[in-house]
Amino acid sequence: MIRDLKRVRNIGISAHIDSGKTTLTERILFYTDRIHKINEVRGKDGTGAVMDSMDLERERGITIASAATYCEWKKHNINLIDTPGHVDFTVEVERSLRVLDGVVLILCSVAGVQSQSITVDQQMKRYEVPCIAFVNKCDRSGANPAKVARQLKTKLGHNSVLMQLPIGVEDKHEGVVDLVAMKAYYFEGDHGEQVAVKDIPDNMLEAANEAREEMIDAASLFSEELTDAILEESDISEDLIKKAVRNGVMGRHITPVFLGSAYKNKAIQPLLDAVIDYLPSPLNIQNEAIDLDNNEESVILESDFDKPTVALAFKLEDGQYGQLTYIRVYQGCIAKGDTLVNTRDGKKIKAGRLIRMHASQMEDVEEIPAGHIGAMFGIDCASGDTFVSPVINYSMLAMHVMEPVISLSIVPKDNKAQINMSKALNRFTKEDPTFKTYVDHETGETIIQGMGELHLEVYVERMKREYKAEVTTGAPRVAYRETITQKALFNYTHKKQTGGAGQFGRVAGFLEPCEEEFEFVNKITGGRIPTQYIPACEKGFAGCMTKGPKLEFPVTGVRVTIDDGAFHAVDSSEMAFQAAARGAFLEGYMKARPVVKEPIMKVVIETPNEFQGSCMGLINQRRGIIQGSQEEGVMSVIESQVPLSEMFGFSTVLRSATQGKAQFTMEFSSYKQVPQSIAEEIIKQKQEENKA
């Protein structure tokens, strides 16, 4: 690996779904001689793109997991990560941006700035990652790169500056005019590998001069030398412009816009030049850690090979040779045989096999120096762990992980499937922080949670393919509760006579609604029930709370008061009073007008203002109550309370209603009584289940 970090770039390719990220990455690998044949992103009939190594990715034509590779261009080392565009796999983008120094933001020249472009932009802001923009698909019908550059300003707030002009658009797209060199680039040969540099066509000269002036004006804000050159009206060199634009990109003050068509092999080489000219090297980025031995004080890390090592595990994969841990080394150097400490749990590990990734292929290396991305084998850790030399105790700040918004129940077909399903869930939850699983102790179902229906669908499919775990899925049952609505008396005698000592216990008192889940009040006087039997009575009543007599849902909000009773000197026992308490509860419960309660969720929707009405309509359709709505710039935030039973599939419906631009969060709020019509449906459903 190159040790001259000025010649290293760690970049990501990010964009809305179907903007051409994987296609562009494929071209980059071809022009840098990493691959010798271009594969297209397509289904089962083709080989699929190199970066889409998973069968599911090739079949669906989408990227599911981010893939890392590296290549060389003009004696520079480019570590490159291709990320998914679908919002369900947003954690893949999140963890990639956490470790990258720069990003190529791809936009479609027809669709422009789309919903996921906005999400990716917010993620770049969160990690303050500098970016350049590439307007792809200039050969498509309806292409308008100038409109897309304007949208970058109006929709994302970027100071976008065109660095190129297209020579023709749609089916007449032939190449680009470089406004820095003031030359026209055409791309010839079978795959556009021959770059022909020519003079700018006469009919474009005026437009090119105007665009160049605008570009120089924007860049001059970031270079005094360039400003002086403009004022003195002296010749402006290419290096001077590049230096000014690079300064602007580093501070995220300017976004240079490049144009082309990845599919038609146009203008990829100038984009590679731009990555080297404008995006930062590891030396230009300031990375911080916290010192766990010194009140978590912030520490600036240096890309120095001789300092103690600090590395971050940002992605895990279960490969055929064991767990593969992707790492970014920020300081020091990891060599084979080095001892490192995982600062999360203090465990020491030994660096065994070190590799560089090229999608699913691997190349063994002796060391991974600071500023580089690589991977280690056989290390037991979690995503987001920090590895350091034993002499320090630093921790990198973890990445932002969103809470899951949707859940499904999964049921294994047989015992073998159950074992394989457990292995699969164990691995997936370790690899993906947004994928969670638990067993609902009330329904006994295994529940999986994720970022969207496609997210969970992909994991269920992977369970079947990679682990041969045949499972069936269904909407999880809502965790309903039962409670009582009025006071009711009970007076129950438990009497059982068999050979020898019998069982006897009488318990009297009343049930009433309360705020707590369960409350037991002892008002026995005069020793009517001996003190040693009171805990048995409480235990008997408490045992009835787990399954209600009405619909077998857990009971909540009941206060039991006992104020009378009787015992027998020989036949009374703890067991007898427990049984008496159970009988007393059943007797009083049905008199106390029991009802069913359902979980109510606090749902917060963030949507562009134009879809505010549609979102409110969706909430009203779901028995929701809107509690407030406020506008924050171009976005609206709607707060509401909606029953959980109405929220299944909501993410898909919301995306359809808002062109994929809205998102929501959901958390438990309280339990409320179910309306009579819904209660009748639940009773009917329960009866059918019991019959089955």
Side-chain angles (χ1 to χ4, degrees), residues 470-617:
E470 282 299 318
V471 295
T472 52
T473 61
R477 297 178 196 173
V478 178
Y480 291 108
R481 298 275 190 272
E482 291 182 29
T483 191
I484 55 173
T485 55
Q486 65 181 41
K487 185 176 177 180
L489 301 173
F490 57 79
N491 185 349
Y492 183 80
T493 305
H494 173 70
K495 199 187 285 182
K496 199 172 184 185
Q497 195 64 51
T498 51
Q503 290 183 21
F504 179 85
R506 182 171 77 85
V507 178
F510 55 90
L511 305 176
E512 60 187 338
C514 74
E515 291 299 312
E516 304 294 319
E517 281 202 20
F518 172 67
E519 212 178 311
F520 178 76
V521 181
N522 172 22
K523 286 193 177 174
I524 297 292
T525 54
R528 293 170 185 237
I529 298 176
T531 310
Q532 72 262 32
Y533 297 139
I534 299 295
C537 294
E538 184 176 354
K539 195 176 177 184
F541 283 115
C544 295
M545 302 293 286
T546 54
K547 197 184 271 190
K550 185 177 171 72
L551 288 169
E552 297 185 347
F553 295 128
V555 181
T556 183
V558 176
R559 181 186 292 121
V560 178
T561 304
I562 56 170
D563 54 14
D564 196 10
F567 74 103
H568 186 277
V570 176
D571 292 350
S572 287
S573 64
E574 284 188 10
M575 195 193 292
F577 273 102
Q578 269 191 50
R582 283 196 293 271
F585 185 86
L586 294 174
E587 182 186 291
Y589 188 78
M590 297 319 280
K591 295 181 201 167
R593 284 189 49 213
V595 292
V596 178
K597 289 166 87 177
E598 64 183 342
I600 304 293
M601 311 304 284
K602 180 187 176 187
V603 177
V604 179
I605 299 174
E606 283 183 32
T607 174
N609 292 335
E610 69 245 50
F611 301 113
Q612 189 181 15
S614 307
C615 293
M616 286 181 165

Side-chain angles (χ1 to χ4, degrees), residues 23 26-27 30-31 35-40 42 47-48 191 262 265:
T23 305
E26 199 79 3
R27 294 330 184 253
F30 178 74
Y31 296 131
I35 57 174
H36 305 292
K37 176 178 172 255
I38 293 174
N39 292 314
E40 299 308 336
R42 60 172 183 258
T47 49
H191 300 294
N265 310 313

Side-chain angles (χ1 to χ4, degrees), residues 400-472:
H400 173 77
V401 176
M402 282 170 279
E403 286 300 309
V405 295
I406 188 169
S407 49
L408 279 178
S409 64
I410 51 172
V411 181
K413 197 175 174 185
D414 50 34
N415 198 37
K416 190 182 175 190
Q418 168 82 48
I419 295 163
N420 291 344
M421 182 183 87
S422 298
K423 284 180 190 167
L425 292 178
N426 206 13
R427 171 187 158 190
F428 297 155
T429 48
K430 204 171 179 186
E431 282 182 15
D432 184 349
T434 58
F435 178 79
K436 295 184 178 176
T437 178
Y438 66 94
V439 174
D440 189 324
H441 62 274
E442 289 172 12
T443 61
E445 292 176 317
T446 300
I447 308 291
I448 55 173
Q449 298 175 302
M451 298 307 297
E453 282 165 55
L454 177 64
H455 190 203
L456 297 185
E457 197 182 302
V458 162
Y459 276 118
V460 169
E461 188 63 31
R462 283 182 66 188
M463 257 180 242
K464 291 175 182 175
R465 290 185 185 204
E466 294 172 30
Y467 284 88
K468 305 288 183 285
E470 282 299 318
V471 295
T472 52

Side-chain angles (χ1 to χ4, degrees), residues 103-143:
V103 166
V104 178
L105 175 65
I106 304 183
L107 301 158
C108 171
S109 67
V110 181
V113 172
Q114 295 164 277
S115 56
Q116 190 66 4
S117 317
I118 298 169
T119 308
V120 169
D121 183 59
Q122 287 168 343
Q123 290 170 320
M124 285 194 293
K125 277 180 187 159
R126 187 179 297 132
Y127 299 113
E128 296 179 353
V129 182
C131 80
I132 61 176
F134 179 69
V135 180
N136 193 20
K137 303 189 179 183
C138 288
D139 60 306
R140 289 270 293 272
S141 177

